[in-house]
Amino acid sequence: MAADVSARVTALNRGMEFPRELDARYGKRITALTAARHNMVSRGLVARMNPGAGGVDVAIDPGGYFETSRPSTHADPGYGVDGAVHGDARHMPGHGACTTTSALNKPTEPFALNLANKG
């Protein structure tokens, strides 16, 4: 949604195919990176963000991608750090169950089919 309103969007994910998949889907509207220590969002980067810029850390359950992330709640999901807004509600993938299921099925389907084909 953010890319659709011309926001500058960078997405991090642990999967190696992630950047290619997002490039195919969104082109240059989203910068996609494979999550690694050198790609994590540091406190220094958060401090350099434009006032009112924001981040949503959907990986907060396993520790998060932002150095400044901390678990919040759905009742009180947002908080500020150095002028940037964070939204790090836990269990966020569960609120998009169909999308999450599709994302999980894609990489696991070949293994399930392989097991099924072995009887």
Side-chain angles (χ1 to χ4, degrees):
M1 290 184 336
D4 288 338
V5 294
S6 301
R8 188 170 147 206
V9 177
T10 301
L12 297 167
N13 191 293
R14 290 187 174 99
M16 297 301 288
E17 294 296 316
F18 182 72
R20 284 188 287 266
E21 290 172 5
L22 278 189
D23 284 346
R25 181 181 285 178
Y26 297 102
K28 300 298 177 198
R29 295 185 316 156
I30 294 178
T31 301
L33 302 171
T34 299
R37 201 79 191 130
H38 65 278
N39 286 341
M40 303 305 254
V41 180
S42 68
R43 184 176 194 102
L45 180 60
V46 170
R48 291 191 307 272
M49 289 180 172
N50 292 330
V56 178
D57 194 339
V58 297
I60 191 63
D61 292 316
Y65 290 139
F66 288 59
E67 183 179 1
T68 52
S69 289
R70 62 174 168 75
S72 57
T73 66
H74 291 286
D76 187 22
Y79 59 94
V81 175
D82 296 331
V85 178
H86 282 39
D88 306 326
R90 298 182 71 161
H91 311 298
M92 200 173 282
H95 293 277
C98 291
T99 305
T100 303
T101 299
S102 295
L104 291 172
N105 283 344
K106 186 176 179 181
T108 58
E109 181 182 23
F111 296 103
L113 291 173
N114 187 24
L115 287 172
N117 288 331
K118 292 183 185 230

